[in-house]
């Protein structure tokens, strides 16, 4: 079974802090993704990565950055946390091109910014 | 502009009956479609997918139908069980694999015993 592990299930941080959310997958997937889920808005893509040290902006990248130094790990960074970044953050991974492959998700990190 | 739409925010179904969840899309270039199920405080779980070369795909109690001319897909759950109560997300992508998914806003299914 694919395992996508997010480092924290719940996190509380203060406005202005730099926040790191970590995600690790164990299936040697090329692709990794960060989404946030908000009530009534579904899942929105923040950033994604096709390979180590590669990154692409998603639909809502403002206020975030990412790091992918190793294939299995994809980190989401909130440079200076704000209250409107309170949300459920979801990491996903998938195989590369060529075949129809779904994305597999971690259990999410519920982040509260006070 | 929403490219993937789930127009029903919620649906209630009696246990044992059929649940039908609907999804419409606007981008005719989408060629891979998926359904995910999500329980509260958990990540979405992949349920079933279909590529644009097919019009039906079955997996146990779950069947996905794709109508490309209408840009519409649906998920049928037969028979519905209380454990199926969750939020269901429809998703689509331009190419399989490394293209990001575009998600609908979800439909909350409640299966009543």
């Amino acid at each position: 079974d694919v395992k996508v592990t997010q480092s924290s299930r719940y996190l509380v941080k203060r406005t202005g802090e730099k926040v790191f959310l970590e995600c690790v997958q164990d299936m040697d997937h090329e692709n990794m993704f960060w989404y946030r889920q908000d009530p009534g808005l579904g899942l929105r893509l923040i950033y994604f990565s096709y390979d180590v040290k590669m990154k692409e902006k998603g639909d809502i990248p403002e206020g975030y950055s990412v790091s992918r130094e190793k294939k299995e790990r994809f980190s989401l960074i909130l440079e200076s946390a704000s209250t409107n970044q309170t949300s459920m953050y979801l990491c996903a991974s998938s195989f590369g091109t060529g075949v129809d492959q779904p994305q597999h998700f971690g259990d999410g990190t519920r982040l509260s910014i006070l | 502009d929403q490219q993937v739409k789930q127009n029903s925010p919620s649906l209630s179904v009696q246990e044992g009956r059929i649940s039908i969840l609907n999804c419409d899309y606007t981008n005719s270039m989408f060629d891979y479609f998926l359904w995910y199920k999500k329980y509260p405080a958990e990540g979405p779980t992949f349920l079933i997918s279909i590529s644009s070369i097919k019009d039906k795909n079955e997996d146990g109690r779950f069947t996905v139908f794709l109508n490309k001319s209408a840009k519409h897909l649906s998920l049928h759950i037969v028979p519905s069980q209380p454990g199926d109560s969750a939020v269901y997300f429809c998703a689509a992508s331009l190419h399989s694999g490394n293209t990001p998914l575009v998600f609908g806003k979800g439909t909350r299914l409640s299966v009543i015993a």
Side-chain angles (χ1 to χ4, degrees):
Chain A
D1 269 1
V2 176
K3 186 70 174 174
V4 179
T5 303
Q6 295 184 230
S7 53
S8 304
R9 292 298 301 273
Y10 301 94
L11 208 53
V12 180
K13 296 291 182 181
R14 297 242 173 242
T15 304
E17 279 192 70
K18 191 169 187 175
V19 180
F20 294 85
L21 302 183
E22 306 287 345
C23 175
V24 177
Q25 50 92 5
D26 66 356
M27 284 300 293
D28 204 33
H29 283 169
E30 290 83 1
N31 310 313
M32 296 189 75
F33 307 85
W34 275 106
Y35 297 87
R36 63 179 281 179
Q37 185 199 0
D38 300 288
L41 297 179
L43 276 72
R44 294 180 292 166
L45 181 66
I46 305 171
Y47 267 98
F48 59 104
S49 169
Y50 294 146
D51 202 349
V52 175
K53 298 195 186 294
M54 306 266 309
K55 60 184 179 183
E56 299 282 345
K57 292 181 180 179
D59 299 318
I60 50 166
E62 296 79 18
Y64 303 94
S65 62
V66 289
S67 172
R68 194 163 180 206
E69 296 296 318
K70 294 184 178 181
K71 190 175 185 180
E72 68 272 17
R73 186 180 296 271
F74 192 35
S75 303
L76 179 70
I77 304 154
L78 285 66
E79 297 291 342
S80 177
S82 64
T83 55
N84 63 10
Q85 292 179 309
T86 291
S87 186
M88 168 73 99
Y89 288 87
L90 293 159
C91 175
S93 70
S94 70
F95 281 115
T97 56
V99 290
D100 288 337
Q101 290 288 342
Q103 291 179 19
H104 297 272
F105 285 81
D107 279 338
T109 295
R110 183 159 295 281
L111 175 64
S112 296
I113 307 296
L114 304 180
Chain B
D1 184 32
Q2 228 185 318
Q3 296 188 71
V4 177
K5 298 179 184 179
Q6 294 177 255
N7 291 320
S8 298
S10 63
L11 175 68
S12 288
V13 172
Q14 287 285 113
E15 180 180 6
R17 306 293 290 268
I18 184 171
S19 294
I20 301 176
L21 294 96
N22 293 303
C23 179
D24 297 297
Y25 61 95
T26 57
N27 189 339
S28 58
M29 298 300 291
F30 284 145
D31 63 0
Y32 182 51
F33 304 89
L34 309 90
W35 284 95
Y36 285 84
K37 172 181 178 179
K38 188 180 184 299
Y39 294 119
E42 292 184 11
T45 302
F46 169 68
L47 262 181
I48 192 168
S49 64
I50 188 166
S51 73
S52 59
I53 61 172
K54 296 183 177 180
D55 55 16
K56 178 182 173 182
N57 189 26
E58 274 183 88
D59 184 1
R61 297 187 297 115
F62 302 92
T63 303
V64 56
F65 296 91
L66 176 63
N67 182 334
K68 289 185 288 294
S69 60
K71 296 193 185 69
H72 177 84
L73 66 155
S74 60
L75 175 69
H76 292 209
I77 306 173
V78 183
S80 301
Q81 300 173 353
D84 296 328
S85 297
V87 177
Y88 289 78
F89 290 99
C90 170
S93 71
L94 292 170
H95 305 285
S96 58
N98 68 351
T99 303
L101 297 175
V102 179
F103 283 86
K105 293 184 178 181
T107 296
R108 181 178 301 279
L109 173 65
S110 300
V111 180
I112 304 159

